[in-house]
Amino acid sequence: EKASCFSSNFLELKFFESPHFANTFSVSRNFIQTTVVKEKIENLRNIKSDFFLATNSFCFDLKTEKEVLVLWVNPVWRLYKNDIFINSSFECPVFQDYENEIEYEDDFKNWCKKTDYLKTQNILKFQITELDDIKIFFEDESILETFKYDEDETWYIQDYENH
């Protein structure tokens, strides 16, 4: 039996020369779930911006008529409006850089305040790029976007199968 196989995180193709397997093509579950999640996210429109910051990650509760999706946006991200930089994950204070916990907490709260205005905004739409980054467009023209710098995910849906 001869077999050739191409694999990636998302796609698995298998071709077998055997009477039992004739040119079998299979798409991994991960690829299908990723495609479904992308489509679901990109189809969301005009949704309330309900989030909190967990260190330098956003956690959005995206409430629709049918379900609540929990979207995590991880570093690296930046927030801007009309091409003016507002905040980024790189700007987040690092606890180890401080001698005093109070100074850290003050700087962290000030860093968080830069994103507070988004809580009054609706999210107009989501866009998933070819590089699997996400752009979130807000009604006031602010944009939150991720950009990959390594193999880590920059966004994901938490417990998607349970919703």
Side-chain angles (χ1 to χ4, degrees), residues 97-114:
D97 292 346
Y98 290 81
E99 294 178 19
N100 174 323
E101 187 173 337
I102 293 172
E103 287 179 24
Y104 166 76
E105 287 177 4
D106 287 345
D107 283 354
F108 183 73
K109 287 176 186 175
N110 288 331
W111 177 81
C112 290
K113 285 179 185 178
K114 294 178 184 180

Side-chain angles (χ1 to χ4, degrees), residues 21-140:
F21 304 99
N23 294 329
T24 302
F25 172 81
S26 68
V27 177
S28 75
R29 184 170 167 247
N30 190 19
F31 176 76
I32 293 169
Q33 287 176 335
T34 301
T35 302
V36 169
V37 168
K38 285 179 183 180
E39 288 175 5
K40 185 174 281 269
I41 290 292
E42 287 188 325
N43 287 328
L44 291 174
R45 298 282 189 270
N46 294 317
I47 195 162
K48 184 174 176 359
S49 175
D50 185 11
F51 72 89
F52 65 89
L53 287 165
T55 312
N56 58 356
S57 294
F58 278 88
C59 180
F60 288 92
D61 284 332
L62 306 174
K63 295 176 180 86
T64 70
E65 292 177 12
K66 298 179 183 178
E67 62 189 341
V68 176
L69 300 175
V70 178
L71 170 67
W72 283 90
V73 176
N74 294 324
V76 173
W77 57 263
R78 66 179 156 227
L79 174 65
Y80 57 94
K81 180 179 176 180
N82 300 321
D83 294 327
I84 298 171
F85 174 83
I86 296 171
N87 206 351
S88 78
S89 56
F90 282 136
E91 300 291 315
C92 182
V94 177
F95 181 76
Q96 292 81 358
D97 292 346
Y98 290 81
E99 294 178 19
N100 174 323
E101 187 173 337
I102 293 172
E103 287 179 24
Y104 166 76
E105 287 177 4
D106 287 345
D107 283 354
F108 183 73
K109 287 176 186 175
N110 288 331
W111 177 81
C112 290
K113 285 179 185 178
K114 294 178 184 180
T115 64
D116 280 349
Y117 78 98
L118 293 176
K119 293 179 180 180
T120 65
Q121 302 296 311
N122 280 340
I123 297 171
L124 295 179
K125 69 178 184 172
F126 298 85
Q127 178 185 23
I128 310 300
T129 69
E130 288 184 24
L131 296 174
D132 204 31
D133 287 319
I134 192 167
K135 282 186 170 185
I136 303 173
F137 297 85
F138 295 87
E139 66 185 338
D140 72 341

